[in-house]
């Protein structure tokens, strides 16, 4: 059984580095009580961008209706967008809330320097079509003002997580298509990385054949809309991770969802909320890209937020012990076809075992950081 990449609290909060919610942050704002004050030992240095790291897991939602996009751009006219080397750290997140509220906790310096100070993805997991454009715009405009590149995660596909812990999303594909159009309206005109619907492709086996086809058509349209509205947007599609589907199987699914088309895709993402080593993910992603085909400019981004020690041998996915943070987020990996190492999942936000799903757990964050 593969664990969901991102546990979403029932009210619509998420487990990404930051959640950009409509009104109030609900469970995302919960600050678990500090129950112990461990003595700070001599700690290892942070992983450098040149060190080989580890890998991660993901599963997701589904849907029911087909959409026919009306965009007319041809693939030959599309050119890969150039991405700068600087990622954006949104000034609002659960870990930052905790750090600000606990200046005297012995764990705070480690959690702040190794987790809170790092740039991370901003998740949009609640279906709020009336406000989604303005909330996305708040993130992208903040990044543009600093000359940095934001990472945003639309996570509202219908039948999300196949009814599991992260269930939710738009009521149907027609509603989702409209939501994505509003989401795109907030992207602005600057550089932005879009991690499009974690688990939506790798975890689509709970859908009927027709349901998968409809979902994939909607995802293909979503990519075209996002890139048409902002040609500098880089859109990546769900490739699961190296411990899930075979590269050939995953590539076949990705192709159906439009990931091989330059009009809708810049490539794939893997390891969201999982623990597989960076080396394994690099090898896997390159195999998926080779099987996928498409323009040579397609690349991959890898979630390295919790993969510093690799995946547990027993396959445990829920806040497993002995894990650590992985490579620092960067858009300069030095690896062919690997466009970025990102922190898509917030280190310290629980999968549901060390704390309530989607809430920041300082003891878990400290264990990962040290």
């Amino acid at each position: 059984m593969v664990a969901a990449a991102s546990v979403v609290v029932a009210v619509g909060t998420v487990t990404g580095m930051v959640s950009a919610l409509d009104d109030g942050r609900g469970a995302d704002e919960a600050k678990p009580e500090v129950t112990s004050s461990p003595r700070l030992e001599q700690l290892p240095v942070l992983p450098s961008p040149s060190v080989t790291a580890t890998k991660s897991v993901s599963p997701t939602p589904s849907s029911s209706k087909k959409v026919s996009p009306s965009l007319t751009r041809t693939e030959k006219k599309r050119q890969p967008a150039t991405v700068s080397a600087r990622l954006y750290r949104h000034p609002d997140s659960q870990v930052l809330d905790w750090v600000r509220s606990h200046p005297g906790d012995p764990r705070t310096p480690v959690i702040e320097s190794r987790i809170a100070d790092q740039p991370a993805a901003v998740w949009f997991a609640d279906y709020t079509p009336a406000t989604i454009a303005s909330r996305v715009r708040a993130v992208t405009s903040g990044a543009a003002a600093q000359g940095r590149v934001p990472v945003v995660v639309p996570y509202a596909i219908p039948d999300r997580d196949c009814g599991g812990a992260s269930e939710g999303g738009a009521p149907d594909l027609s509603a989702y298509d409209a939501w994505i159009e509003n989401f795109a309206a907030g992207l602005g005109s600057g550089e932005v990385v879009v991690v499009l619907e974690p688990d939506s492709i790798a975890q689509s086996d709970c859908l009927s054949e027709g349901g998968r086809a409809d979902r994939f058509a909607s995802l293909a349209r979503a990519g075209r809309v996002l890139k048409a509205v902002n040609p500098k947007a880089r859109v990546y599609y769900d490739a699961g991770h190296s411990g899930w589907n075979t590269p050939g199987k995953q590539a076949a699914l990705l192709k159906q969802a439009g990931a091989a088309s330059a009009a809708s895709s810049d490539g794939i993402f893997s390891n969201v909320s999982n623990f597989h080593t960076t080396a394994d993910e690099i090898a896997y992603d390159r195999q998926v890209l080779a099987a996928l085909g498409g323009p040579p400019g397609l690349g991959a981004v890898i979630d390295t937020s919790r993969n510093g020690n690799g995946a547990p041998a027993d396959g445990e996915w829920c806040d497993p012990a002995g894990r650590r943070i992985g490579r620092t987020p960067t858009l300069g990996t030095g690896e062919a076809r690997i466009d970025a190492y990102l922190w898509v999942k917030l280190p310290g936000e629980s999968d549901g075992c060390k704390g309530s799903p989607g809430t920041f757990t300082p003891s878990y964050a400290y264990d990962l950081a040290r």
Side-chain angles (χ1 to χ4, degrees), residues 4-9 15 59-61 155 159-169 199:
S6 314
V7 178
V8 176
V9 180
T15 61
T60 259
Y155 191 57
D159 301 321
R160 186 173 65 199
D161 195 26
C162 291
S166 299
E167 66 181 343
D199 307 328

Side-chain angles (χ1 to χ4, degrees), residues 31-116:
K31 303 178 184 69
E33 291 298 320
V34 177
T35 56
S36 62
S37 299
R39 182 169 61 86
L40 294 180
E41 306 275 314
Q42 186 173 13
L43 300 171
V45 296
L46 278 171
S48 72
S50 61
V51 177
T52 301
T54 53
K55 50 176 178 181
S56 175
V57 187
S58 25
T60 259
S62 97
S63 183
S64 61
K65 323 174 165 173
K66 220 178 244 186
V67 186
S68 35
S70 57
L71 302 179
T72 58
R73 291 179 182 268
T74 64
E75 294 194 12
K76 289 184 179 179
K77 292 181 181 177
R78 301 290 311 184
Q79 297 296 326
T82 301
V83 179
S84 78
R86 290 154 50 110
L87 288 164
Y88 176 59
R89 188 197 72 161
H90 193 272
D92 182 24
S93 70
Q94 291 190 76
V95 63
L96 285 169
D97 286 348
W98 185 86
V99 165
R100 291 163 186 153
S101 299
H102 298 83
D105 192 294
R107 297 168 295 185
T108 296
V110 172
I111 292 174
E112 180 175 20
S113 63
R114 300 189 178 184
I115 296 178

Side-chain angles (χ1 to χ4, degrees), residues 88 197 225 228 316:
Y88 176 59
E197 298 293 342
V225 168
E316 178 58 53

Side-chain angles (χ1 to χ4, degrees), residues 249-264:
K249 177 180 178 180
Q250 190 62 37
L253 296 173
L254 283 158
K255 190 170 292 188
Q256 294 175 56
S261 167
S264 55

